[in-house]
Amino acid sequence: MKTYISPWPQAAKLPDFPRSVAVLGATGSIGVNALKVMARHPELFTVMALAGGRNGTLLAEQCARLRPRYAAVLDDAARRELEAGLPAGYSPQILVGPDAFTTLAALDEVDTVLSSIVGAAGFEPTLAAARAGKLICLANKESLVLGGHIIRAACHASGAVILPVDSEHNALFQGLMGLESDDEIARLILTASGGPFRGRDAASLAGVTRKQALAHPNWSMGAKISIDSATLMNKGLEVIEACHLYGLPVGMVHVVVHPQSIIHSLVEYVDGSQLAHLGMPDMQVPIAHCLGFPRRLGVDVPRLDLARVGCLTFEEPDLAAFPCLGLARDAYDAGPSHPVVLNAANEVAVAAFLDGRMGFADIPATIEAALDRHRPVDVSTPEAVLDLDRAVRDEIRRALWPDAD
């Protein structure tokens, strides 16, 4: 069937166990949880490479425990932290800089790549893994938002398989397994918690603080993803990701607000029935599903007790108060270059909000203005995608940080 970005996993050649894993974003919440999953099943996984951004201290602790052959950080300061924390007698090969992540993603010694870098920085490493034919456990939705068409082509050329780590897309993936044809699908339904400001109107959001926006009610996430959840941009990016993963038009991907975050997403079939994936909100579950696929691995998470939960509720998203979701849908419909602009403008706006340079309501306004200025351009190559991404960021940064070097 044609609904997957990669060959139908049950027909594709998956790496044998034990799998040799590179974790890109090892010091973030997804990476930390992935290491917990693999530690529970040491007979199934060998950690070959860890990449940890700028947190050299935590990466050193992880390396000391797991002894990977390779480690990567973004700058020399993190490298010094990493080297200082390594035990005597252990010297992994250390790579430095953004290109290091791309190198680790394509290592011959690695068959499985967990791509959990935040933001557009994940595009090139994910593409490198796709070109190298890896099993990719994808937790970086921006890779597909920027260049899903490019990564799809790379997967089909190399035989790479992408399994979605995002809890929503992992739920959809499980709900789609076993179908014979796209014609059996009526629509995909992504669930959204609604974030910390669910139920508030647009006027009341103007004065929200950084601390309030970071306080997600159900999930423990990094700052950028937490703000995206608060604006509903996270759900907008997930709509675009679903379109690329499953080859469906944006009109077949819907969003419903589900505050309890127990149902992670639903697939509706042409007979009107729906299949939901339920579980406690813990990222170890979808991570384990991807790392162990097609095996289902045990994880140490609380069990769902529906009687204790008591009530599951649902509501339509408020697009007037949270316009980012609508902006994302419109951007995907407008053509392949518009999502690049959407994502670049969002990342800069979120950084500006976290830096105190703009208000919460200015985030969607900044994104909308960037999309209004944009005229479609060719983004059929990775270089074109990255050039456009850079140009949009530079334009917005000059306006927000005129005093910057």
Side-chain angles (χ1 to χ4, degrees), residues 278-289:
L278 288 75
M280 297 298 289
D282 192 306
M283 286 304 299
Q284 289 186 71
V285 175
I287 291 168
H289 183 262

Side-chain angles (χ1 to χ4, degrees), residues 262-323:
I262 296 298
I263 295 180
H264 300 303
S265 280
L266 309 94
V267 176
E268 182 176 304
Y269 309 110
V270 291
D271 61 5
S273 64
Q274 296 181 357
L275 188 66
H277 181 277
L278 288 75
M280 297 298 289
D282 192 306
M283 286 304 299
Q284 289 186 71
V285 175
I287 291 168
H289 183 262
C290 292
L291 285 172
F293 188 84
R295 298 191 188 185
R296 193 172 289 272
L297 307 181
V299 290
D300 185 19
V301 301
R303 293 302 188 253
L304 175 61
D305 184 339
L306 285 174
R308 193 168 198 170
V309 172
C311 183
L312 302 178
T313 62
F314 307 90
E315 58 196 61
E316 291 292 329
D318 183 350
L319 297 183
F322 303 97

Side-chain angles (χ1 to χ4, degrees), residues 26-28 32 35 50-66 71-87 90 94:
T27 56
V32 168
L35 296 183
L50 294 176
R54 292 184 172 85
N55 192 341
T57 301
L58 177 55
L59 185 63
E61 295 175 9
Q62 294 172 336
C63 287
R65 186 171 72 252
L66 299 167
V73 289
L74 284 177
D75 55 37
D76 287 331
R79 176 183 57 78
R80 288 189 291 272
E81 286 184 356
L82 171 60
E83 290 175 337
L86 294 176
Y90 166 59
I94 299 175

Side-chain angles (χ1 to χ4, degrees), residues 82-127:
L82 171 60
E83 290 175 337
L86 294 176
Y90 166 59
S91 300
Q93 183 175 338
I94 299 175
L95 293 80
V96 180
D99 290 345
F101 288 55
T102 301
T103 299
L104 296 189
L107 285 172
D108 289 340
E109 302 98 312
V110 166
D111 54 47
T112 302
V113 175
L114 174 68
S115 179
S116 60
I117 306 164
V118 175
F123 172 62
E124 289 184 282
T126 302
L127 178 57

